[in-house]
Amino acid sequence: MTKNTDQDKKVPVTTHLYQRQIDKLNHVAAELKVTKAVLFREAIEQLLKHYEEKQLDIGIK
């Protein structure tokens, strides 16, 4: 995971998910004793890393 810096600022984001996704996410968060926000941030980091590794020209290299 990328190390956060003092310049990083958390901002609110709204998205729409399927109920089954939320149910599973709630279960995972409860099992790991973390918030859904923690899981979302981890997932976003993995997603960005995936595309960076593929060297896609989408402005995240």
Side-chain angles (χ1 to χ4, degrees), residues 15 17 22 25 35-46:
T15 189
L17 302 171
I22 294 297
L25 187 64
T35 64
K36 288 181 287 202
V38 167
L39 297 175
F40 277 120
R41 285 191 295 269
E42 181 179 309
I44 293 298
E45 287 297 327
Q46 290 178 13

Side-chain angles (χ1 to χ4, degrees), residues 49-58 61:
K49 182 178 179 181
H50 171 78
Y51 285 110
E52 287 170 352
E53 288 172 353
K54 293 199 175 289
Q55 298 181 353
L56 294 178
D57 188 21
I58 57 175
K61 285 193 239 177

Side-chain angles (χ1 to χ4, degrees), residues 1-57:
M1 183 167 3
T2 304
K3 185 71 175 167
N4 294 324
T5 67
D6 290 338
Q7 294 177 349
D8 286 334
K9 178 182 174 188
K10 293 178 186 171
V11 295
V13 176
T14 301
T15 189
H16 293 83
L17 302 171
Y18 296 106
Q19 184 62 51
R20 65 178 170 73
Q21 293 172 316
I22 294 297
D23 294 343
K24 288 181 180 182
L25 187 64
N26 285 335
H27 180 75
V28 171
E31 286 290 316
L32 296 176
K33 295 180 176 44
V34 298
T35 64
K36 288 181 287 202
V38 167
L39 297 175
F40 277 120
R41 285 191 295 269
E42 181 179 309
I44 293 298
E45 287 297 327
Q46 290 178 13
L47 179 74
L48 293 173
K49 182 178 179 181
H50 171 78
Y51 285 110
E52 287 170 352
E53 288 172 353
K54 293 199 175 289
Q55 298 181 353
L56 294 178
D57 188 21

